Amino acid sequence: MSSPMTPRGSLKTLCGWGRYPVQTCHVYCPRSESEIIQLLKSGLLLIARGNGRAYGDSALNREATLQMHHFNRLLGFNPRTGQLIAEAGVLLAEILEIFVPRGWFPLITPGTKFVTVGGMIAADVHGKNHHKEGSFVHSLDWLDLLTSEGQIYRCSPSENQDLFYWTVGGMGLTGVILRAAFRLRPIKTAWIRQTTRIAKHLDEVIDLFEAAQDVTYSVAWIDCLATGSRLGRSVLMLGEHATREELPAKYRQRPLWTPRRRKISIPVDFPNGALNALTVRAFNQLYFLNSQRKAGQSFVDWDTFFYPLDSLLGWNRIYGRRGFVQFQCVLPLSTAREGLLALLHCTSAAGAGSFLAVLKKLGDQQGYFSFPMAGYTLALDFPMSQRTLKVLDQLEEITLQYGGRFYLAKDSHLSPMRLRQSDARVETFVKVRNAQQWTVNFASEQSKRLCL
Amino acid sequence: MRAPVLILGATSDMGRAIAQRFAAEGYPIQLAARQVSRLEPDKADLEIRYGVPVSVHEFDVLAVETHASFIQQLPEQPAIVICVVGCMPDQKACEQELSLALEGMRTNYEGPAVILSLFANVFEQRGFGTLVGISSVAGERGRASNYFYGSAKAGFTAFLSGLRHRLAKSGVQVLTVLPGYVKTRMTEGMKLPSRLTAEPKEVANAIFTAIEKKKNVIYVRPIWRWIMVLIRWIPEPLFKRLSL
Ligand SMILES: Cc1cc2nc3c(=O)[nH]c(=O)nc-3n(C[C@H](O)[C@H](O)[C@H](O)COP(=O)(O)OP(=O)(O)OC[C@H]3O[C@@H](n4cnc5c(N)ncnc54)[C@H](O)[C@@H]3O)c2cc1C
Ligand SMILES: NC(=O)c1ccc[n+]([C@@H]2O[C@H](COP(=O)([O-])OP(=O)(O)OC[C@H]3O[C@@H](n4cnc5c(N)ncnc54)[C@H](OP(=O)(O)O)[C@@H]3O)[C@@H](O)[C@H]2O)c1
């Protein structure tokens, strides 16, 4: 019998959420720290993988991809401070299921709950409250990192500080996150008081964002197919955790309870190209008509507000077998209006209708290599095709022109050159990676592509 | 408060899934394994998720002389004992190195049979309780590829059936679990047909339901019952020529 110390790997075909690129990888599913150390000692170049919700190749490595799903235990919860200690493979969805009914909610959450604690730290994810409450690191008290030579370090803003700030946003390239302590916020109800505003064009939505600085949650959906004077037509959603008194009477009795959302699964791949300009147009029209109807104030359950797409399980299949790419950049405040116009113009001119276009105001950077910076971030989806590759090239050029940078958790297309042109921090990151020997042990297909 | 569920071999994927399932139903949990320190994270996890009391206990199935005192030192006698312990030693290595084979036989048969015998006496006297043994379809017919493992499981299956016979009138339930393939550490890296392979969670659900319904023997995925009928039915002259 092979000793439990050396986990057996197996070959699996893996991809990110965008289903592009697809890669055959040696996959290991360790159950203990010592198994990971064993793998490191055998000289493998590896990358940790959470729940594969990064869109591109961040969580793939042909030589060794470490699936962290066996590290799925909750280790401690302090109801005085809201501090939760969890292993890296715990899903946010599990945390929500357990803690919302007890009156707690994550301080920071991305737009899907099917992500792991490790994935949220490694991408230093941002939520709809970034302009006010920062990225995931803001809620993070400490993490345990298994890094080169099998060393384990407790890292926090006061202990192994550099390692801490390189690891948040470090895309798994500093080591394997084993467990972490982060804070949840107390909530009185499971509902969000939502205010919906329609903006006729880009300038208007930015004005609305600027006027809503103090609102905790804000995000806008842009109709990518609107052109001319209506370019940037969008629906802005603002939200606050509702208090018990605010709730409609029917929910006040059990304020932490919400009706279960119906789940719909996409069981098969849509044919390539099913999602064309026409269907996207129809979708956007419907969406806008619906929002217009709902404009004003409403109470929305947490699941619908924060994770609108999660009830459509496997929605990435609607893009067909070739997969899709997401483009996400952030532009600094000073150039945002002009730059966003240029990006939207390019998208709509290409007729490459993006199904989802999300706009969000971001606050300051926190981690050394985290994506967010003060400005506006735009995220667009495109079905994979030759034409999409051209559009991406153009969008990347525009981003550079306006001093923006790119979100690696979404990327599957950038070149090492462009990444460096967009982000002066890259060179330092690479230097530190070399100096700390992280390059000897940790790499993803993305880091190989981008020479990180 | 209900009496607890004791899980022997709680570090395994199946043991963990079973603990989750019973804790979710509100049972207090006793976790037992040879390296007790490895159980601490699971204890914390079960307590936070389900708010049930969890205790951890050192248990080595091979140290049969300690089994009586193991039972005595439990803070409370369990309502349900689930023995998940087992190991699958490499067949080829066993053929050459009989000490390895012996350890496998003792882990899969002797140890589990001893501990469950001792619990059986306690439960019989008390007049209630459930004993669950995880055996294997590999025990239904010996095959060249793993007959040391298979024969020990065959012994364990026969033991469980005899125990059930004995306790039938005492109100003690004995459940034999014959999972087909299960996706666990034991089968990691093997190519297993997905239709025939259960998740540890499925095993846990099946055990929970089987206890509620007072079942005797379960195959986790029903198709395995028919596969085993077929495999047992193949005449020996033909069986000898098959590679299985
Ligand atoms: C529908 C949807 C909406 C999204 N919305 C947002 C959003 O609003 N804001 C936002 O910021 N992001 C968003 N994302 C992106 C997502 O939050 C990140 O990609 C996140 O990292 C995914 O987590 P994961 O557990 O799936 O990690 P994976 O995709 O498996 O991995 C992502 C990265 O984390 C690293 N990693 C994972 N686990 C570990 C570990 N234990 N140790 C070290 N490194 C590790 C991997 O190496 C990889 O680099 C969204 C994604 C989807 C699909
Ligand atoms: N996986 C399958 O396809 C399959 C199919 C049919 C039946 N089964 C049976 O299902 C049961 C669980 O197996 P699994 O697949 O989950 O594999 P596993 O992870 O290898 O589980 C075996 C368990 O037995 C424990 N164990 C081994 N020797 C022990 C000893 N001397 N004392 C105490 N505990 C000991 C192990 O503890 P450590 O963690 O300390 O090693 C582990 O918890 C086994 O009985 C197995 O034979 C499995």
Side-chain angles (χ1 to χ4, degrees), chain A residues 31 72-74 94 102, chain B residues 13 16 42 45 48-49:
Chain A
R31 287 174 176 76
N72 59 351
R73 300 170 184 89
L74 300 177
E94 294 176 70
R102 299 183 197 174
Chain B
D13 294 345
R16 288 192 61 204
D42 288 294
D45 183 65
I48 296 170
R49 284 178 198 254

Side-chain angles (χ1 to χ4, degrees), chain A residues 3 41 43 50 99 112 119 134 141 146-147 171 203 277 317 321 362 368 372 386 390 400 420 440 452:
Chain A
S3 98
K41 292 214 166 121
F99 285 97
T112 170
D141 289 336
L146 198 168
T147 184
M171 300 307 288
D203 257 340
R317 306 184 77 155
R321 212 174 274 282
L362 296 183
Y368 290 169
Q386 278 315 106
K390 285 209 197 84
L400 288 184
R420 282 159 176 76
V440 181
L452 288 175

Side-chain angles (χ1 to χ4, degrees), chain A residues 17 47-48 50-54 58 111 116 119 122-123 125-126 171-172 175 177 407:
Chain A
W17 184 243
I47 194 73
N51 203 34
R53 251 44 179 195
S58 323
T116 62
V125 296
H126 56 273
M171 300 307 288
I177 300 159
Y407 193 11

Side-chain angles (χ1 to χ4, degrees), chain B residues 9-14 33-35 38 59-62 84-87 107-108 134-137 149 153 179-187:
Chain B
T11 45
S12 62
D13 294 345
M14 257 186 245
R34 43 185 167 178
Q35 281 173 283
R38 281 173 52 203
F59 174 73
D60 183 347
V61 88
L62 293 172
V84 186
V85 175
C87 69
T107 305
N108 287 307
I134 309 220
S135 192
S136 171
V137 293
Y149 175 74
K153 287 294 192 188
Y181 300 135
V182 188
K183 223 166 117 186
T184 65
R185 181 178 61 183
M186 189 178 271
T187 52

Side-chain angles (χ1 to χ4, degrees), chain B residues 19-216:
Chain B
Q20 297 274 339
R21 185 66 179 86
F22 281 87
E25 298 293 331
Y27 281 95
I29 305 289
Q30 298 174 334
L31 303 171
R34 43 185 167 178
Q35 281 173 283
V36 75
S37 62
R38 281 173 52 203
L39 296 172
E40 289 300 335
D42 288 294
K43 170 178 155 68
D45 183 65
L46 293 165
E47 287 174 344
I48 296 170
R49 284 178 198 254
Y50 308 108
V52 295
V54 179
S55 57
V56 299
H57 308 276
E58 191 172 315
F59 174 73
D60 183 347
V61 88
L62 293 172
V64 289
E65 67 286 355
T66 63
H67 288 188
S69 61
F70 168 81
I71 295 179
Q72 261 165 18
Q73 56 78 46
L74 286 175
E76 190 183 350
Q77 287 306 307
I80 302 172
V81 176
I82 304 177
C83 181
V84 186
V85 175
C87 69
M88 189 158 57
D90 182 69
Q91 168 71 22
K92 283 273 169 291
C94 284
E95 288 165 17
Q96 299 311 316
E97 181 58 56
L98 283 164
S99 64
L100 198 59
L102 192 62
E103 188 182 304
M105 293 189 271
R106 293 191 59 218
T107 305
N108 287 307
Y109 174 50
E110 183 190 289
V114 169
I115 187 76
L116 291 185
S117 294
L118 293 171
F119 271 116
N121 294 346
V122 177
F123 285 15
E124 186 179 36
Q125 193 153 33
R126 180 175 86 172
F128 71 93
T130 300
L131 297 168
V132 182
I134 309 220
S135 192
S136 171
V137 293
E140 308 274 277
R141 187 164 194 177
R143 291 175 294 136
S145 57
N146 72 347
Y147 62 83
F148 285 110
Y149 175 74
S151 62
K153 287 294 192 188
F156 189 42
T157 302
F159 165 84
L160 290 167
S161 117
L163 192 65
R164 179 163 43 246
H165 199 188
R166 165 186 153 196
L167 297 175
K169 283 174 227 75
S170 71
V172 177
Q173 180 193 9
V174 178
L175 172 65
T176 308
V177 184
L178 303 172
Y181 300 135
V182 188
K183 223 166 117 186
T184 65
R185 181 178 61 183
M186 189 178 271
T187 52
E188 192 128 289
M190 297 184 190
K191 279 236 169 317
L192 300 177
S194 61
R195 283 201 44 218
L196 303 181
T197 308
E199 292 291 332
K201 248 190 201 163
E202 277 175 72
V203 180
N205 283 334
I207 292 176
F208 184 82
T209 321
I211 292 179
E212 283 211 312
K213 295 194 175 156
K214 299 271 172 229
K215 287 264 166 72
N216 299 312

Side-chain angles (χ1 to χ4, degrees), chain A residues 16-17 47-55 58-60 66 68 88-89 91 109-112 114-128 145 167 170-178 309-310 315 326 328 356 371 407 409-410 444 446:
Chain A
W17 184 243
I47 194 73
R49 180 178 173 90
N51 203 34
R53 251 44 179 195
Y55 279 70
S58 323
L60 309 179
L66 236 58
M68 296 296 288
L91 283 181
T109 171
T112 170
F114 300 121
V115 293
T116 62
V117 169
M120 289 194 288
I121 297 171
D124 193 16
V125 296
H126 56 273
K128 298 177 181 187
L145 185 76
T167 298
M171 300 307 288
L173 299 171
T174 63
V176 179
I177 300 159
L178 297 171
L309 288 170
D310 281 358
W315 63 261
Q326 182 159 99
Q328 184 171 0
L356 280 180
F371 162 69
Y407 193 11
K410 305 292 178 77
S444 59
Q446 181 173 54

